């Protein structure tokens, strides 16, 4: 008779996400995970299929929490410029926390790609959703006359996503929001 799972898998994924975010995939051992989650190795394998499965679940959890919150924040600004500024500044704030852990998805891309195709798909999907949301925001702002029409909204959105990714890597090198936030103002000049 199979044993029932004796732990909350959603809480385990959330805690594993924090561990992977702090240390990366390679530096996080199965032993680290079982100790941090308070579960046995057999339970980890039964629930997630192993470290890779738990990592993918952690990336998905990041997507549905932090990445989804970032997209929702675009709807909260009074205008495109303030919404984008708020998004970028908030991403900096999160990235510099805990000594500069950066962004889990950007960390995953730099550590696991190009070999890890499931991670590539997850990162590409999140970045694509970000770019689509920014494109819609910028297109509407352009139509309202809030921003310049000299750049195609899709290209401008791609630039902002690329800028943000670079900023998130920089946050690991210089985990100081005061040093990084002025760069946001430079990026926002592309809207002029």
């Amino acid at each position: 008779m199979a044993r029932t799972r004796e732990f909350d898998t959603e809480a385990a994924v959330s805690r594993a996400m924090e561990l992977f975010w702090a240390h990366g995939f390679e530096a996080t051992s199965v032993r680290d995970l079982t100790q941090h989650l308070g579960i046995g190795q057999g339970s980890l394998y039964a629930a997630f299929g192993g470290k890779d499965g738990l990592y993918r679940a952690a990336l998905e959890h990041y997507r549905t929490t932090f990445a989804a919150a970032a997209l929702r924040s675009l709807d909260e600004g009074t205008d495109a410029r303030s919404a984008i500024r708020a998004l970028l500044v908030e991403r900096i704030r999160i990235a510099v926390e805990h000594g500069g852990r950066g962004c889990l998805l950007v960390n995953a891309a730099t550590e696991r790609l190009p070999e890890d195709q499931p991670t590539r798909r997850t990162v590409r999907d999140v970045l694509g959703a970000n770019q689509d949301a920014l494109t819609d925001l910028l297109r509407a702002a352009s139509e309202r006359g809030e921003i310049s029409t000299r750049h195609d909204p899709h290209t401008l959105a791609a630039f902002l996503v690329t800028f943000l990714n670079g900023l998130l890597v920089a946050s690991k090198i210089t985990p100081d929001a005061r040093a990084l936030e002025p760069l946001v103002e430079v990026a926002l000049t592309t809207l002029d």
Side-chain angles (χ1 to χ4, degrees), residues 11-112:
V13 168
S14 180
R15 295 191 71 213
M17 179 194 75
E18 294 293 333
L19 196 60
F20 285 127
W21 197 353
H23 302 290
F25 178 83
E26 295 299 330
T28 303
S29 69
V30 170
R31 183 178 193 174
D32 294 334
L33 288 164
T34 57
Q35 288 178 344
H36 187 71
L37 304 177
I39 63 173
Q41 188 171 337
S43 294
L44 185 146
Y45 281 90
F48 305 106
K51 179 179 164 182
D52 283 338
L54 182 52
Y55 186 68
R56 281 192 277 291
L59 290 176
E60 188 59 34
H61 182 70
Y62 185 91
R63 180 209 312 237
T64 60
T65 55
F66 288 94
L71 291 180
R72 283 191 306 274
S73 75
L74 287 176
D75 296 330
E76 297 170 3
T78 56
D79 60 86
R81 187 178 308 270
S82 64
I84 293 167
R85 179 183 290 113
L87 168 77
L88 296 173
V89 168
E90 177 64 8
R91 301 319 294 169
I92 290 170
R93 186 195 64 73
I94 292 169
V96 300
E97 286 179 342
H98 308 290
R101 64 184 177 174
C103 165
L104 181 60
L105 290 171
V106 172
N107 296 351
T110 59
E111 181 182 17
R112 304 285 295 160

Side-chain angles (χ1 to χ4, degrees), residues 159-191:
F159 163 75
L160 289 169
V161 169
T162 302
F163 167 76
L164 176 57
N165 292 334
L167 196 60
L168 295 170
V169 171
S171 74
K172 294 178 71 68
I173 300 162
T174 307
D176 179 0
R178 291 170 300 178
L180 298 172
E181 286 177 11
L183 303 176
V184 170
E185 296 308 317
V186 175
L188 290 175
T189 65
T190 61
L191 305 179

Side-chain angles (χ1 to χ4, degrees), residues 135-149:
T135 298
D136 292 345
L137 177 75
L138 292 164
R139 186 170 287 122
S142 178
E143 291 168 0
R144 289 189 305 268
E146 283 179 26
I147 65 170
S148 170
T149 58

